[in-house]
Amino acid sequence: MPALIAPTARLHSAWLEAHQEWGPGLHEDGFGLRPSDEVDSPEGFATWVALLADASAPKAVETGRGCTYRWIVEGDRVHGGIALRHGLDDYVPQFGHIGYGIRPSSRRRGLATWALGRILDEARALNLDRVLIVCEDDNLASVRTIEHHSGVLEGVQDTEHGPVRRYWIKI
């Protein structure tokens, strides 16, 4: 049975396995990984996990600028990540309130649909009335996942990374 958990340094090896299978890129939005983050060493990984925890801390949540990070796991296997950005800063209009991704070997099991449902519950608890989700125009798996949760297409927008679909989900 899958679970959404807060990032933890305990899963360093499992996370690295998922990261290596996946490769770097925008698809890692749910992990909150930036190009400058050093995650290979246990110390660097622990520092990065602490930064994610700070972004999810009550003080960050209260200001509306926080981000709730969750990993999608079963046992000690990391399947992917999902992030809920709380505010409407410059990042949200471009990339959405919610970003997620599932590693290739874990796809086609309904994990993204399940995880999106759980993170929408967290959005509800934060009193968000609607959330924006952005996905690549040709990512049919994400389109199905978002539309399963009643996502309404606002439109398709050209970006520096190619065309993206912009969906709103009413909470």
Side-chain angles (χ1 to χ4, degrees):
M1 183 84 180
L4 280 189
I5 67 165
T8 174
R10 178 183 66 79
L11 291 175
H12 183 214
S13 294
W15 186 91
L16 280 177
E17 179 185 299
H19 178 64
Q20 288 165 356
E21 175 186 329
W22 213 338
L26 291 174
H27 54 267
E28 292 186 299
D29 183 31
F31 280 142
L33 186 64
R34 298 169 307 199
S36 61
D37 293 322
E38 191 283 301
V39 294
D40 292 328
S41 73
E43 298 79 18
F45 190 77
T47 298
W48 175 64
V49 167
L51 289 172
L52 298 180
D54 286 346
S56 299
K59 185 173 183 176
V61 172
E62 289 168 12
T63 65
R65 297 206 175 270
C67 184
T68 301
Y69 292 98
R70 297 288 182 257
W71 291 350
I72 305 160
V73 301
E74 278 183 298
D76 285 341
R77 181 172 171 83
V78 176
H79 293 291
I82 190 163
L84 169 62
R85 293 176 273 277
H86 307 157
L88 203 58
D89 58 18
D90 293 340
Y91 200 78
V92 170
Q94 184 176 2
F95 297 103
H97 287 97
I98 298 173
Y100 60 87
I102 305 294
R103 68 192 280 180
S105 64
S106 296
R107 294 178 184 158
R108 304 186 60 80
R109 296 183 44 207
L111 290 169
T113 301
W114 173 83
L116 181 55
R118 301 298 72 74
I119 208 76
L120 288 171
D121 291 339
E122 294 198 34
R124 191 172 294 107
L126 292 169
N127 294 316
L128 296 176
D129 59 347
R130 66 185 192 144
V131 294
L132 174 65
I133 304 179
V134 176
C135 72
E136 293 175 353
D137 188 40
D138 62 354
N139 186 340
L140 298 181
S142 277
V143 167
R144 284 191 299 274
T145 295
I146 297 164
E147 291 179 352
H148 176 85
H149 286 286
S150 303
V152 175
L153 181 65
E154 174 187 85
V156 177
Q157 181 179 30
D158 287 323
T159 71
E160 64 185 80
H161 305 292
V164 297
R165 293 178 183 229
R166 298 171 51 84
Y167 285 92
W168 287 96
I169 296 179
K170 189 173 182 175
I171 305 292

